[in-house]
Amino acid sequence: MMKWFGRIVVTLEVLFLLWLFVSWVDIVADNTQPNPTHSKYNAFVMMTENFEEKN
């Protein structure tokens, strides 16, 4: 049972890191344009929007 739990945790961690990497690539690619528009599912956009709402 612990072996499956460990595999699930590692899979979720890998997916999270992949999401961060793809979000970073999205920002780098969009910043080469004059008017960058990032995806609403971009991790960094979601973090900054959440931070701005709290302050």
Side-chain angles (χ1 to χ4, degrees):
M1 186 69 174
M2 288 298 285
K3 191 174 187 179
W4 283 103
F5 180 72
R7 288 181 181 174
I8 291 171
V9 169
V10 169
T11 302
L12 290 175
E13 290 173 352
V14 168
L15 289 174
F16 180 72
L17 290 174
L18 181 64
W19 178 44
L20 288 176
F21 177 73
V22 170
S23 295
W24 177 76
V25 169
D26 176 48
I27 288 179
V28 170
D30 288 345
N31 282 346
T32 61
Q33 300 172 0
N35 188 11
T37 305
H38 308 297
S39 171
K40 68 179 182 177
Y41 300 111
N42 187 308
F44 301 107
V45 171
M46 292 173 77
M47 283 189 280
T48 56
E49 287 177 353
N50 191 21
F51 180 74
E52 290 172 355
E53 290 176 3
K54 290 183 179 181
N55 289 331

